[in-house]
Amino acid sequence: MKHKYFTFILLSSLAAIAAAQTPFQLPNAGFEQWDGGYDSEPTHWNTFGTSDGQFASLASSNHHYRRSGHRPGGSGNYYLTIYTQSILGVKANGNMTTGRIHAGSMSASSSDNYNYTQRSNSDHCQPFTATPDSMYVWVSFYAGSSSSTAQIVVVIHGDTDFKEPNETANTALFKGRATAQTTRTTSSASQMNWKQLKVPFVYDGTSSANYILIDITTNKNPGGGDKNDSLSIDDIEFIYSAWLTDITVGGTTIEGFAKGQFNYAVHVDDLAAFGTADIGYTTEADDASVEKTATTVDDTTVRITLTVTAEDGTTQKVYSVTATSGVPSVPVAIQDPEAGIQPLVFPNPAKDYLTAACDGLLEIADMQGRIVLSRQCSAGERIAVGHLPRGLYTAAIDGNKKHKIVIQ
């Protein structure tokens, strides 16, 4: 990754500034910046051309290219392709790293061949102190064998010159790891077939987070696969969780809780004594933060909002719990001025169940207009509503005129 030309010194400086401003993502994660032409190294990445070790000169031939285009839905101008070569009859897997390649042996499986973070050389190390929850990356992989497996290994490690794979079993040297693998996505060397890999980080190490080492290879086994196997990579993204895995009211999990559902309704007996302290939660990631706020909607309704912010300070999810007390005392005849019209559901008021009077999509909304129940039903079908807080709602089937209903 040596910056050989003045033009690219400026480019690299700008990239370094961008990296400093986004400490939760990799610099040049989409392979848009390069140190030179189509066969140069991507900025902040390294391959055989800048390797060291006894056999570095033999391994220095090109194993990668800059390709024009981008993954589906992307917007970049370039992506990276690495491929397997044969060197003196020995298959050398395509290899790209944020660290440095050490070519110490002609035996592909030798422990003297590894990638490592070289802290003394800023071109071959990547400082990183965040703890992402997962990694997303786009790949297209061609291999001669359907069983060949390409691999991307990510290690967040401490203040050492960490070697991969030699030190991956030493939990004292790293904090967390993520490994993405794929068999071939296309059986034609001339055809791209992109797919997105999504893998979690596992934080089973005891080290601090100081550096990140990423190694991309055309085969998980040294010397594996076939000559000209090729792996294309685009848009590596680290994901930070802002999900909740539980919400409780008075210590009891809300009925029907699901982390991808953001709005809940509950009934409380004493609304005046109800507040944010009555709402508990569990975050999916330990480093996420939650802010709770209470808003009085009216005399019988309070809404608690939980704003979850992930470690990156940007990713957010917002959950709400609407608490009501009491039952409307307004007579049903007043609440449903269309009393002489064929009802959509009955009985009204209802306690545990409603019965549909016709076929279609039943939607029940609260007084704030939020859909609290949506279900395709048939005439005569019973629909459970006992989980809904007592109060006034509107019901509609297939968007027909809404009718007010009371749930007791």
Side-chain angles (χ1 to χ4, degrees):
M1 193 182 60
K2 294 179 180 176
H3 304 144
K4 302 175 182 178
Y5 307 99
F6 174 78
T7 302
F8 298 103
I9 293 176
L10 175 60
L11 180 62
S12 299
S13 298
L14 292 175
I17 293 173
Q21 294 172 339
T22 56
F24 298 97
Q25 298 293 337
L26 285 175
N28 199 24
F31 303 99
E32 293 300 305
Q33 292 86 43
W34 293 70
D35 292 347
Y38 72 97
D39 60 351
S40 66
E41 291 180 327
T43 305
H44 298 293
W45 294 87
N46 303 282
T47 187
F48 291 100
T50 53
S51 61
D52 65 9
Q54 182 178 355
F55 295 94
S57 60
L58 288 177
S60 63
S61 59
N62 195 33
H63 286 235
H64 75 281
Y65 285 109
R66 181 185 71 193
R67 303 292 192 187
S68 295
H70 51 75
R71 51 88 175 175
S75 59
N77 295 316
Y78 306 113
Y79 60 89
L80 166 70
T81 296
I82 62 175
Y83 62 94
T84 302
Q85 268 197 357
S86 179
I87 300 175
L88 299 180
V90 177
K91 281 181 290 187
N93 298 345
N95 190 343
M96 186 67 66
T97 179
T98 55
R100 191 167 202 170
I101 296 173
H102 182 80
S105 173
M106 283 297 292
S107 172
S109 60
S110 170
S111 62
D112 206 23
N113 294 324
Y114 52 83
N115 294 352
Y116 72 107
T117 292
Q118 188 178 39
R119 293 170 298 159
S120 61
N121 187 333
S122 61
D123 282 346
H124 295 282
C125 67
Q126 181 58 60
F128 194 80
T129 58
T131 52
D133 299 293
S134 57
M135 175 181 67
Y136 291 2
V137 56
W138 286 87
V139 297
S140 179
F141 181 42
Y142 163 75
S145 169
S146 60
S147 63
S148 290
T149 303
Q151 179 171 268
I152 302 171
V153 174
V154 185
V155 182
I156 298 172
H157 65 85
D159 195 14
T160 65
D161 286 355
F162 188 90
K163 300 178 180 65
E164 198 283 320
N166 299 19
E167 296 175 337
T168 54
N170 190 341
T171 57
L173 298 180
F174 65 86
K175 186 174 184 67
R177 300 172 294 180
T179 301
Q181 295 182 339
T182 181
T183 53
R184 68 185 186 188
T185 65
T186 176
S187 58
S188 171
S190 60
Q191 179 183 359
M192 302 295 291
N193 188 13
W194 290 95
K195 75 173 183 179
Q196 190 180 39
L197 305 179
K198 300 179 179 181
V199 295
F201 274 85
V202 177
Y203 289 96
D204 54 355
T206 60
S207 168
S208 57
N210 300 92
Y211 293 89
I212 190 167
L213 179 65
I214 302 184
D215 298 329
I216 306 172
T217 179
T218 50
N219 202 286
K220 66 177 183 179
N221 299 315
D226 299 303
K227 180 181 178 182
N228 296 325
D229 286 356
S230 62
L231 175 67
S232 296
I233 313 101
D234 200 7
D235 288 347
I236 299 173
E237 181 183 9
F238 292 147
I239 305 299
Y240 296 84
S241 173
W243 296 104
L244 294 182
T245 58
D246 186 39
I247 297 178
T248 61
V249 178
T252 302
T253 297
I254 290 180
E255 183 177 354
F257 176 83
K259 75 175 186 179
Q261 180 178 329
F262 299 101
N263 298 307
Y264 298 90
V266 297
H267 178 267
V268 296
D269 293 327
D270 186 0
L271 194 65
F274 181 78
T276 57
D278 296 289
I279 300 293
Y281 58 83
T282 304
T283 58
E284 184 175 63
D286 292 340
D287 46 26
S289 61
V290 180
E291 180 183 5
K292 293 189 290 186
T293 57
T295 303
T296 300
V297 178
D298 55 37
D299 290 343
T300 62
T301 307
V302 170
R303 182 174 301 115
I304 308 295
T305 301
L306 297 89
T307 302
V308 189
T309 304
E311 179 191 2
D312 61 359
T314 301
T315 305
Q316 285 189 330
K317 298 285 188 295
V318 179
Y319 296 80
S320 70
V321 179
T322 301
T324 58
S325 64
V327 179
S329 59
V330 182
V332 174
I334 297 176
Q335 299 206 36
D336 186 3
E338 300 91 0
I341 301 175
Q342 173 70 27
L344 301 175
V345 293
F346 62 89
N348 188 7
K351 186 174 182 180
D352 295 320
Y353 293 92
L354 284 170
T355 301
C358 52
D359 299 342
L361 176 64
L362 170 65
E363 291 184 323
I364 296 178
D366 64 16
M367 288 296 95
Q368 285 73 49
R370 296 185 300 269
I371 303 296
V372 296
L373 187 151
S374 179
R375 174 173 168 176
Q376 195 73 31
C377 57
S378 303
E381 182 177 348
R382 299 180 75 201
I383 299 99
V385 294
H387 64 286
L388 296 176
R390 293 178 292 172
L392 182 63
Y393 296 84
T394 59
I397 290 186
D398 285 343
N400 290 331
K401 187 173 180 63
K402 296 179 179 179
H403 288 249
K404 293 183 178 65
I405 60 172
V406 174
I407 296 178
Q408 295 182 327

